[in-house]
Amino acid sequence: MRDYPGTRQTFIEMDTIPENGKGIPVDHNKIVAEKVSAFFGKVQAIRDIQINIPENSIVAIIGPSGCGKSTFLRSINRMHELIHGTRVTGKILLDGEDVYSLDPVLIRKKIGMVFQKPNPFPTMSIFDNVAAGLRMGGTHDRKNIAEVVERSLQQAALWSEVKDSLSKSGVGLSGGQQQRLCIARALAVNPEVLLMDEPASALDPIATAKIEELLFELKKRYTIVIVTHNMQQAARVSDYTAFFYMGELIEYDITKKIFTAPSIKQTEDYVTGRFG
Amino acid sequence: MDRHFQHELESLKTILIKMGSIVEENITNALQALLDRNESLAQKVFENEERINTLEIEIDNAIIDLLALQQPVASDLRFIIAAQKINNDLERIGDHAVNIAESDLNLLKMKPLDTLLELPKMVVTTKIMLRGALDSFILLDPKMAQTVLETDDQIDNLNRSMTTEVIEMLRADKRSIECGLELIRISRNLERVADIATNIAEDVIFHTQARVVKHHAEEKELIQTR
């Protein structure tokens, strides 16, 4: 038997590094971010983000804590500016229109958001939770509201579980049901885009699987941007993945590419857990 | 960050290298037994075969564990996929070594031949290809792997020449028909070993560069997502 030298595991640089977003279609972009930067006072959280989000797709944003992924998400529907002392520069286009030139309330209606921790309105019933946005938007027709509530709960895959207990409190539901209730609440105002900030991180594996299945259904009607720390979740549910690091977009490509053969070494190190 | 998972990948690589070295030793013994008419070397091939089979199962189990428990991605995933194929390839080379050793023993029962025709050249080239494939895996060197791919044509040509020359040999002396069949069998086995060496080299390129080069896939643009 011959002697072999010691083993070594090295990353071989690609001969050529493809441009970011090589696999992202250029047509039918629902959202386009052009050189978007966001600040907390003097601290810059994200820098010159350029990203196209195709319509009816799921885009996952991954990256270590503090990389700016949630800040970017909140910049899309102008929630970032709700914090005192913050500002956003650059452009975010929704169907070609700059969201920062439009009414923020209208933007947040068109771009719904679901948060990490399910946050149903605690004093409201399941029905009223879903109807709340409609009523605040000036819809008072009972029949119309009832139809929208049912449709939204069905789209959120919750209807069959709650249809006989619509008058009960929303906070009496399980964590996974509460999160789907929040999704139904976001859907009720007929948005075009859904932003999700770690929507399944507080849920058990079964509830997580339900949310993930739901995403596949929802993308037929909506464009979805999801921030997640769960790499397997990003790989499972998204069409495209963006890797953020220290406030910059490092790589953005078809999810399959990011998780089998990323072009940038930092992405490779992050998805394989070699980071840090 | 040096993670437990990285150590497990290193262990997988180490055990594959161990298997590769036993397989290479077996092929070398089978071929040397042919050239030297050495029965004990041929017998050694059969003894080693069991170790190769045991290692194949051990590596299979390690790969299943890694896939199930670690959900590898990117270069880690490509490494494990390549390792699975290389494991299978090495076991097949082990089988070809056994086939050659069987032919060696059959030839030993016959009168020594004046010439082994193209076999000595095939032996040298096949051993170079196998060593190149294994070294490219150990060093993760895609250029070395590419060299292996480029050598395969030589073996194919030698194998074709062997067939022609054995036919000529049989025409001249029909009593040597059994001997001719053994020579053809060895030649075919060597050609298969060389082919499998190219498979290993292709897996090394897949692992290190995320390129699929088998079946000229790149030229034919068979890969849609790259």
Side-chain angles (χ1 to χ4, degrees):
Chain A
M1 196 185 306
R2 65 190 265 235
D3 288 321
Y4 283 97
T7 62
R8 64 192 173 96
Q9 184 87 17
T10 53
F11 182 89
I12 307 282
E13 292 285 350
M14 307 285 169
D15 290 340
T16 53
I17 294 177
E19 273 179 42
N20 275 348
K22 187 181 153 203
I24 312 295
V26 290
D27 295 334
H28 311 297
N29 286 313
K30 189 70 185 171
I31 296 170
V32 174
E34 291 179 359
K35 286 180 82 74
V36 174
S37 296
F39 302 81
F40 291 93
K42 286 180 182 171
V43 178
Q44 187 164 6
I46 52 174
R47 184 175 295 107
D48 294 338
I49 306 295
Q50 300 259 131
I51 198 166
N52 296 343
I53 295 174
E55 192 164 25
N56 297 115
S57 65
I58 300 176
V59 172
I61 302 180
I62 59 170
S65 297
C67 70
K69 53 193 188 299
S70 290
T71 302
F72 176 67
L73 199 71
R74 296 163 72 90
S75 301
I76 294 175
N77 72 342
R78 298 186 58 172
M79 282 188 69
H80 178 67
E81 69 195 43
L82 296 177
I83 303 165
H84 180 70
T86 57
R87 67 191 169 92
V88 173
T89 62
K91 275 185 182 172
I92 292 178
L93 308 175
L94 175 69
D95 289 327
E97 274 194 285
D98 189 353
V99 301
Y100 283 85
S101 67
L102 300 170
D103 173 12
V105 176
L106 175 71
I107 286 302
R108 288 175 208 136
K109 197 179 152 202
K110 284 187 171 184
I111 308 177
M113 191 150 187
V114 176
F115 300 89
Q116 180 176 4
K117 199 164 168 245
N119 55 353
F121 300 130
T123 57
M124 290 188 192
S125 68
I126 293 168
F127 185 97
D128 288 344
N129 257 283
V130 183
L134 283 176
R135 288 178 178 141
M136 277 190 276
T139 305
H140 296 291
D141 181 86
R142 281 188 180 186
K143 194 174 163 225
N144 186 10
I145 289 175
E147 279 171 6
V148 172
V149 168
E150 180 177 342
R151 190 191 66 215
S152 304
L153 285 166
Q154 276 178 339
Q155 282 182 14
L158 188 61
W159 175 251
S160 62
E161 294 165 49
V162 300
K163 63 178 191 246
D164 299 323
S165 51
L166 293 173
S167 57
K168 287 187 181 165
S169 168
V171 291
L173 297 171
S174 72
Q177 288 173 323
Q178 285 187 28
Q179 193 62 305
R180 279 179 284 146
L181 178 63
C182 294
I183 292 171
R185 187 175 65 192
L187 298 178
V189 293
N190 203 20
E192 295 165 25
V193 177
L194 273 183
L195 306 178
M196 297 183 156
D197 197 350
E198 298 201 53
S201 64
L203 306 180
D204 67 39
I206 294 169
T208 298
K210 281 188 179 167
I211 298 283
E212 289 180 5
E213 280 307 308
L214 176 58
L215 291 179
F216 288 114
E217 281 304 307
L218 291 177
K219 80 165 181 177
K220 294 173 188 166
R221 294 163 180 268
Y222 309 97
T223 303
I224 298 167
V225 186
I226 177 170
V227 162
T228 179
H229 271 297
N230 181 336
M231 224 90 72
Q232 272 73 40
Q233 182 171 66
R236 281 192 300 265
V237 305
S238 69
D239 301 297
Y240 310 100
T241 296
F243 169 55
F244 276 52
Y245 181 57
M246 292 179 74
E248 291 186 27
L249 174 62
I250 304 297
E251 185 167 358
Y252 179 44
D253 212 325
I254 297 169
T255 294
K256 203 162 38 171
K257 178 93 165 65
I258 295 284
F259 287 96
T260 57
S263 302
I264 312 287
K265 188 176 183 310
Q266 279 167 304
T267 316
E268 168 89 27
D269 287 349
Y270 183 70
V271 297
T272 57
R274 287 185 179 82
F275 218 78
Chain B
M1 194 181 0
D2 202 15
R3 293 192 308 149
H4 176 67
F5 177 47
Q6 303 306 324
H7 290 297
E8 294 198 21
L9 289 179
E10 282 296 329
S11 301
L12 173 62
K13 186 170 177 183
T14 304
I15 189 172
L16 257 176
I17 290 169
K18 182 179 167 191
M19 184 172 174
S21 70
I22 297 172
V23 167
E24 191 186 24
E25 183 189 4
N26 248 15
I27 277 287
T28 302
N29 285 342
L31 298 175
Q32 206 56 46
L34 167 74
L35 301 176
D36 298 349
R37 291 180 69 82
N38 183 332
E39 186 179 345
S40 68
L41 269 182
Q43 291 295 354
K44 226 175 158 186
V45 173
F46 300 109
E47 290 162 23
N48 267 345
E49 168 69 359
E50 197 52 43
R51 292 168 67 199
I52 294 170
N53 292 342
T54 306
L55 279 173
E56 188 201 12
I57 293 168
E58 200 179 318
I59 291 168
D60 267 347
N61 289 337
I63 287 170
I64 290 168
D65 288 350
L66 284 170
L67 287 172
L69 304 179
Q70 304 287 353
Q71 291 107 39
V73 295
S75 64
D76 294 340
L77 175 68
R78 298 200 307 273
F79 172 71
I80 292 173
I81 296 293
Q84 188 176 28
K85 290 180 172 181
I86 290 170
N87 184 34
N88 191 254
D89 287 340
L90 289 174
E91 195 276 333
R92 292 292 306 144
I93 294 176
D95 288 346
H96 289 298
V98 167
N99 292 346
I100 294 170
E102 283 171 357
S103 290
D104 291 346
L105 295 179
N106 290 339
L107 283 170
L108 280 170
K109 292 175 198 153
M110 302 169 200
K111 205 178 96 184
L113 291 160
D114 297 335
T115 171
L116 289 171
L117 308 173
E118 301 286 7
L119 280 185
K121 278 190 209 162
M122 288 185 80
V123 166
V124 171
T125 310
T126 307
K127 281 168 70 178
I128 289 172
M129 285 178 71
L130 180 57
R131 175 163 288 203
L134 292 172
D135 281 350
S136 71
F137 173 66
I138 293 163
L139 302 170
L140 297 178
D141 185 341
K143 282 184 186 155
M144 197 182 276
Q146 187 62 40
T147 308
V148 174
L149 301 185
E150 287 158 11
T151 315
D152 193 38
D153 284 349
Q154 290 178 31
I155 284 288
D156 291 342
N157 291 336
L158 286 168
N159 186 39
R160 274 191 286 274
S161 301
M162 264 306 280
T163 310
T164 314
E165 288 176 22
V166 169
I167 290 169
E168 281 170 17
M169 187 178 90
L170 294 181
R171 277 191 185 130
D173 180 6
K174 286 188 176 139
R175 286 170 301 175
S176 60
I177 194 158
E178 284 181 348
C179 183
L181 286 174
E182 293 301 344
L183 293 182
I184 290 282
R185 189 180 179 213
I186 293 171
S187 174
R188 279 202 175 163
N189 275 286
L190 281 173
E191 190 270 336
R192 288 303 306 142
V193 171
D195 267 353
I196 296 172
T198 64
N199 291 350
I200 293 172
E202 286 163 356
D203 291 332
V204 170
I205 291 172
F206 170 72
H207 165 45
T208 54
Q209 297 187 316
R211 289 169 54 218
V212 178
V213 293
K214 64 182 173 185
H215 311 312
H216 303 284
E218 283 182 329
E219 292 111 89
K220 292 176 189 165
E221 294 181 350
L222 291 176
I223 310 122
Q224 293 166 354
T225 59
R226 305 281 175 245

